[in-house]
Amino acid sequence: MHHVLKRMSIFGCLPATSFTLTSTKKTFISVVAHRRRYLSAMASRTYNDAIDTLNTLQTPFAVIEARRKAGIRPDANSVQEMRGYLARIGYSTSSDLEKLSIVHVAGTKGKGSTCAFVDSILSKWQQTKGTPKKVGLFTSPHLIAVRERIRINSRPISEDMFAKYFFEVWERLEGNSTVATDLVEPGTKPIYARYLTLMSYHVYLSEGVDVAIYETGIGGEYDATNVVERPVASGISTLGIDHVYVLGDTVDKIAWHKAGILKKGSPAFTIEQVASAAEVLKGRAEEKGVDLKVLGVDQRLKGVKIRPDANFQKKNATLAIALAETALQKLDPDFKRDEVALPREFVEGLEQVVWRGRCEVKEETNIIWHVDGAHTVDSLRMAARWFVEETNTEGKGPKVLIFNQQGRSEAVGFLDGLCNTVKNADPAGQGFQHVIFCTNVTYATTGYKRDFVNHQYNPADIEKMTQQRIFAERWASLDPSAKILVIPSIEEAISTARGLADSEEKGTSKVQALITGSLHLVGGALGILEKADAL
């Protein structure tokens, strides 16, 4: 009986517990009763319970600061620990993860869009050809709900499914806390983002997903997603400067990290990069014995309506095409690459892709919202150019900006390109008339939506709006004519912009508002604008 109980505990049927055996019958009754109570407790665990529990795995700001001061950065141990955690929930990095036919994508800009394109193409192929059966998509961060990070057939998994698999992983980690202690400390759990990565593997393997697209979180070499040993294909999108503390302050240092996803024996692709990044990628590929193909814009995209119609997005689409073709060569024996024209499913997948929070336009009575997540110097310039193209016609109303990038001191330098791009495009040199800097706090009275709770930022800085005041000071030096406001929540920022629109004379052109910066801001804004619980 002890042996049975031990096995039940290991596989998450019962928590580890000691039992007194007075008689076989008494023990059996005790086990049945305990199991009923346990299953009842498991069934009552909700999505909100899962998110609250997940939030306990966030690394507190004080710990992050202490590590930063001590010079501690992610290293090879990060991936080793993920292997240990996988073992604790019953999976192997080779035999099990290989079942998922993983398409692995890294990059600074466009990696999310590339993943969305691949997902959309494979979904269209599935609809007409019946294969693959299920397509997984793992991305980060989420916009409104954590469950958006783990998608099956282009849809976020349900709240019930998220809660079910979240607590299954939790129980397995608890029950097997002494497994793989050569790889990871006993009794520990992975931090927030790594837990979700671990959970995604369990979800996809349990749900019978036969191809999964994985976007790296930060970097590549030491990223939690890099436990995959034999991806069906790897892709690296445009590289630039981002996450400098973790990855380095030059594009060649960053390229080294991104190239970590390249694996011998797996096809690998990238697009044209700046010279220093291209050189590092080439060198790393040679070291690993990988044939890294550098792609120019695919000529078969001629006539395909890519949104936005810009070269950077065509590069993302090109990379996605190569990754999808490679995946289908494995998944569908009947697939043959057409050198002249893209299959209809590819065209539809590219044209009909849905990737929320990027280049979105939403119209209200007195205001048109332009929403685009952008977290680097280059991506903010692109967001500004897109906004200019959308609003660069006669009769357009006043321009309003809502911006935030929390917890990144270097972000103040991002504002120059954003400000100057809009000003220089206006014949009269008019930039944003109204500029609003807000925190990522969702609501004015209730604070954060639980999916947005973030312990990694200094709460004192958020309360005092320290970063927002720095942004405001910088913008005032760039454009003294702008009316600048610092506001404590996203909800209030949106209400303020709507108030500005309502104050305009009736019959005049609508206010043009740009919401840009971090995806946390963009997601919170979309949740408020649409009254949505998930995207």
Side-chain angles (χ1 to χ4, degrees):
M1 180 60 72
H2 275 304
H3 177 66
V4 172
L5 292 175
K6 184 177 179 183
R7 287 193 61 198
M8 291 173 75
S9 175
I10 286 175
F11 289 100
C13 297
L14 289 169
T17 268
S18 60
F19 289 80
T20 303
L21 298 180
T22 56
S23 71
T24 303
K25 183 177 179 180
K26 183 177 180 180
T27 302
F28 178 75
I29 293 170
S30 174
V31 169
V32 170
H34 191 97
R35 177 173 172 77
R36 283 174 178 166
R37 288 194 300 271
Y38 176 73
L39 291 175
S40 176
M42 285 290 289
S44 67
R45 287 172 169 174
T46 66
Y47 176 74
N48 287 344
D49 293 331
I51 298 305
D52 289 341
T53 307
L54 174 66
N55 284 337
T56 68
L57 300 178
Q58 291 190 35
T59 306
F61 171 76
V63 175
I64 291 174
E65 279 299 290
R67 288 177 179 173
R68 189 186 301 272
K69 289 175 181 176
I72 299 172
R73 295 175 175 81
D75 56 22
N77 288 328
S78 303
V79 177
Q80 176 178 287
E81 288 173 358
M82 281 298 293
R83 291 194 180 100
Y85 289 127
L86 267 171
R88 285 182 186 175
I89 65 170
Y91 297 120
S92 159
T93 56
S94 53
S95 60
D96 288 308
L97 296 194
E98 196 168 344
K99 297 172 186 174
L100 295 178
S101 296
I102 289 173
V103 175
H104 204 187
V105 183
T108 307
K109 295 167 290 185
K111 61 185 172 125
S113 296
T114 299
C115 289
F117 276 137
V118 176
D119 175 68
S120 185
I121 291 168
L122 294 179
S123 294
K124 293 296 181 184
W125 195 267
Q126 173 202 59
Q127 290 167 18
T128 59
K129 309 292 185 182
T131 189
K133 295 182 181 65
K134 290 185 179 180
V135 181
L137 175 62
F138 179 77
T139 59
S140 61
H142 55 278
L143 287 175
I144 293 180
V146 175
R147 60 192 178 91
E148 295 165 3
R149 298 185 183 217
I150 305 174
R151 295 174 183 262
I152 296 177
N153 292 340
S154 303
R155 298 178 64 84
I157 61 174
S158 69
E159 291 189 354
D160 287 346
M161 184 182 289
F162 186 97
K164 173 181 183 290
Y165 287 121
F166 178 91
F167 286 112
E168 282 186 6
V169 169
W170 191 273
E171 294 298 328
R172 290 189 186 190
L173 289 174
E174 297 248 312
N176 296 318
S177 62
T178 57
V179 170
T181 53
D182 57 323
L183 299 175
V184 61
E185 288 291 320
T188 59
K189 291 185 180 70
I191 59 175
Y192 187 100
R194 294 181 193 173
Y195 190 99
L196 290 171
T197 306
L198 185 70
M199 177 182 159
S200 73
Y201 295 130
H202 179 48
V203 171
Y204 292 153
L205 287 165
S206 300
E207 291 293 318
V209 166
D210 46 0
V211 61
I213 304 108
Y214 271 78
E215 176 192 14
T216 58
I218 297 177
E221 179 73 30
Y222 306 134
D223 188 70
T225 63
N226 208 29
V227 289
V228 57
E229 295 177 0
R230 287 185 291 273
V232 70
S234 300
I236 299 176
S237 66
T238 302
L239 299 179
I241 304 295
D242 194 19
H243 300 295
V244 294
Y245 174 74
V246 175
L247 305 179
D249 57 0
T250 63
V251 73
D252 53 314
K253 291 178 183 177
I254 290 169
W256 185 90
H257 282 274
K258 306 293 184 180
I261 70 167
L262 304 179
K263 304 290 167 58
K264 187 174 183 178
S266 295
F269 307 90
T270 189
I271 51 180
E272 294 174 349
Q273 308 280 358
V274 297
S276 57
E279 185 178 350
V280 172
L281 293 182
K282 180 182 177 183
R284 287 274 274 159
E286 289 174 353
E287 289 172 11
K288 292 168 170 282
V290 173
D291 178 19
L292 178 62
K293 292 182 171 60
V294 181
L295 308 171
V297 172
D298 197 315
Q299 296 304 302
R300 295 173 295 173
L301 283 172
K302 186 176 181 180
V304 179
K305 297 173 184 175
I306 300 295
R307 295 172 292 117
D309 184 17
N311 196 53
F312 76 87
Q313 193 73 320
K314 290 176 182 176
K315 287 182 177 181
N316 295 334
T318 294
L319 182 57
I321 290 167
L323 294 170
E325 286 178 333
T326 306
L328 287 173
Q329 285 168 355
K330 175 185 177 182
L331 297 164
D332 186 350
D334 296 327
F335 176 78
K336 298 291 187 292
R337 186 179 189 274
D338 189 330
E339 301 283 346
V340 179
L342 291 172
R344 176 175 58 84
E345 294 83 0
F346 277 60
V347 174
E348 290 180 355
L350 294 168
E351 292 186 342
Q352 298 173 24
V353 66
V354 176
W355 191 228
R356 300 301 308 272
R358 281 76 169 182
C359 299
E360 288 198 49
V361 179
K362 307 186 74 61
E363 190 164 349
E364 296 181 359
T365 304
N366 299 322
I367 190 168
I368 300 177
W369 301 99
H370 303 78
V371 186
D372 190 23
H375 61 283
T376 69
V377 173
D378 293 334
S379 58
L380 273 169
R381 282 201 191 97
M382 290 177 185
R385 289 185 196 127
W386 168 71
F387 177 73
V388 165
E389 290 170 2
E390 290 287 325
T391 60
N392 194 20
T393 58
E394 291 185 13
K396 295 288 185 181
K399 297 185 281 285
V400 177
L401 171 68
I402 298 177
F403 177 87
N404 190 40
Q405 188 73 62
Q406 196 68 44
R408 296 177 62 189
S409 57
E410 73 271 19
V412 70
F414 299 174
L415 300 178
D416 298 47
L418 176 59
C419 178
N420 294 331
T421 298
V422 175
K423 282 178 66 177
N424 294 339
D426 189 273
Q430 177 67 64
F432 290 100
Q433 285 95 327
H434 300 276
V435 178
I436 300 170
F437 296 109
C438 65
T439 71
N440 286 341
V441 174
T442 321
Y443 303 112
T445 55
T446 56
Y448 291 103
K449 181 177 184 285
R450 59 175 20 98
D451 295 71
F452 291 149
V453 169
N454 195 324
H455 300 310
Q456 298 183 55
Y457 301 134
N458 188 344
D461 285 346
I462 294 172
E463 185 176 351
K464 296 174 184 176
M465 296 186 287
T466 304
Q467 188 70 52
Q468 289 68 38
R469 297 184 193 281
I470 293 171
F471 290 150
E473 184 178 343
R474 179 60 182 167
W475 198 279
S477 70
L478 295 169
D479 187 0
S481 68
K483 296 176 182 177
I484 303 170
L485 293 171
V486 173
I487 291 179
S489 72
I490 300 170
E491 183 180 40
E492 291 167 289
I494 288 173
S495 294
T496 301
R498 282 175 172 156
L500 292 169
D502 292 341
S503 67
E504 290 291 310
E505 291 183 23
K506 300 302 178 185
T508 58
S509 300
K510 294 186 178 185
V511 165
Q512 306 291 322
L514 172 63
I515 302 176
T516 191
S518 77
L519 287 174
H520 299 289
L521 165 66
V522 164
L526 286 172
I528 292 166
L529 292 174
E530 298 184 12
K531 297 180 174 61
D533 189 56
L535 296 177

